């Protein structure tokens, strides 16, 4: 196999155009499918763009490892450059088996569909409270700040037992942590603040464990979990549960407004909602990529040989719009089967909170559209502000009227 020539593509893992991937990323997917690209970590990485290649790589935990540090790249001091804060303890996204499996086994029972249903009445209540507030304040409104952003944040805080008095501060800190325009100094300070807050949350739970997830972990697995791991789990779930679902709600509403016939189906036909959520996950792919992997052996993939020690990245928006996955992948169609899309990842690191995210979207989309059947954009479409500098793709704001 031959090595590919590096193309003039920079930061492709987070470059987007509208709802889809950037045109040069689409061209790469439809061409060789794989190329060497620059990374913030120093050495370049192989970028995968085809559904088959991305799915194969994500499913191969022996050929591609997550738990690498800068020492593996340069021989210097060991540091994981992907961490928001802390030493990486409890961060499933950058762990490999067996440590990953041990921690995930403890968490998985709390994220089954059956367990998530315990939260459903509270999610409905949170959604209705925010709809009431939207209605009280009146039209126009920013759907991101007044609906899409607070609902998932409050749900995940509910799951983890974050006190109500702490939630506004946490939500703002998390938003700033994930803003890629923040300086190194700002991110470091935010990381320290987050770490200190999580440490206090765990300390309080150790003293009086509640019925929330952290309390459950302490009651059932106290001797198997260090404080550092509990802090890492709390930090990961709060961040992951906040930004991803909120961006799906904001961007998904814009997508539905662009397709009024499908919006009407989500509003009026309960049986269409589940398929709509899956198609939105495929078509939007708000998580542009995930933690780059490091090859543990030489692997032939696509048109190249990936060498042992090479970094491998991937572009989920391109992979989810691969014609090998669905016919006419550029078309948004909630009536189709979205196939085995990668919106929640794949394999060992498939999103642990997928049942919760699906439930939130199945409740929040139709509830919004039923409450405001005349919902429409309050600004020209070209004035909608895309959050292109955030780790998770979405909208800065979505002005709507009814």
């Amino acid at each position: 196999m031959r090595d590919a020539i590096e193309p003039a593509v920079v930061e492709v893992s987070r470059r987007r155009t509208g709802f889809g991937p950037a045109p040069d990323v689409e061209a790469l997917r439809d061409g060789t499918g794989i190329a060497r690209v620059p990374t913030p970590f120093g050495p370049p990485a192989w970028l995968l763009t085809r559904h088959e290649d991305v799915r194969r790589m994500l499913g191969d935990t022996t050929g591609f490892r997550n738990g690498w540090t800068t020492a593996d790249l340069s021989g210097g001091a060991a540091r994981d450059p992907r961490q928001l804060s802390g030493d990486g303890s409890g961060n499933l996204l950058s762990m490999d088996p067996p440590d990953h499996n041990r921690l995930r086994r403890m968490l998985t029972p709390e994220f089954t569909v059956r367990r998530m249903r315990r939260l459903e009445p509270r999610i409905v209540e949170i959604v209705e409270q925010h709809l009431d507030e939207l209605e009280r304040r009146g039209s126009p409104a920013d759907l991101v700040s007044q609906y899409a952003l607070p609902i998932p944040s409050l749900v995940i805080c509910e799951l983890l037992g974050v006190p109500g008095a702490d939630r506004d501060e946490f939500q703002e800190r998390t938003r700033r942590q994930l803003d890629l325009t923040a300086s190194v100094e700002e991110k470091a300070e935010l990381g320290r603040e987050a770490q200190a807050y999580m440490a206090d949350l765990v300390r309080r739970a150790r003293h009086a464990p509640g019925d929330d997830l952290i309390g459950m972990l302490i009651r059932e697995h106290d001797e198997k979990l260090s404080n550092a791991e509990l802090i890492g789990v709390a930090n990961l779930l709060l961040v992951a549960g906040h930004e991803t679902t909120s961006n799906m709600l904001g961007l998904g509403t814009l997508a539905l407004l662009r397709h009024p016939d499908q919006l009407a189906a989500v509003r009026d036909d309960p049986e269409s909602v589940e398929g709509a959520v899956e198609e939105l996950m495929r078509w939007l792919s708000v998580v542009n990529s995930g933690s780059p992997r490091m090859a543990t052996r030489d692997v032939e993939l696509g048109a190249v040989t990936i060498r042992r020690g090479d970094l491998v990245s991937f572009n989920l928006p391109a992979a989810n719009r691969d014609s090998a996955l669905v016919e006419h992948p550029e078309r948004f169609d909630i009536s189709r089967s979205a196939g085995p899309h990668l919106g929640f990842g794949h394999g060992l690191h498939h999103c642990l909170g997928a049942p919760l995210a699906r439930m939130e979207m199945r409740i929040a989309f139709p509830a919004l559209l039923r409450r405001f059947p005349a919902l429409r954009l309050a600004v020209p479409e070209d004035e909608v502000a895309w959050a292109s500098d955030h780790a998770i793709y979405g909208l800065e704001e979505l002005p709507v009227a009814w």
Side-chain angles (χ1 to χ4, degrees), residues 14-26:
R14 67 179 178 91
R15 287 177 51 241
R16 302 284 294 258
T17 300
F19 292 104
D24 52 357
V25 181
E26 290 185 320

Side-chain angles (χ1 to χ4, degrees), residues 240-295:
H242 170 225
E243 192 82 353
T244 51
T245 308
S246 67
N247 284 15
M248 278 297 302
L249 291 176
L251 202 57
T253 299
L254 180 60
L256 290 168
L257 287 171
R258 277 196 175 182
H259 300 83
D261 56 332
Q262 300 188 66
L263 180 152
V266 173
R267 182 189 64 219
D268 301 331
D269 178 13
E271 293 188 2
S272 74
V273 176
E274 185 173 345
V277 167
E278 297 309 311
E279 177 68 348
L280 284 165
M281 286 297 303
R282 181 198 72 82
W283 199 67
L284 297 176
S285 298
V286 297
V287 179
N288 297 316
S289 186
S291 298
R293 274 47 166 183
M294 179 175 286

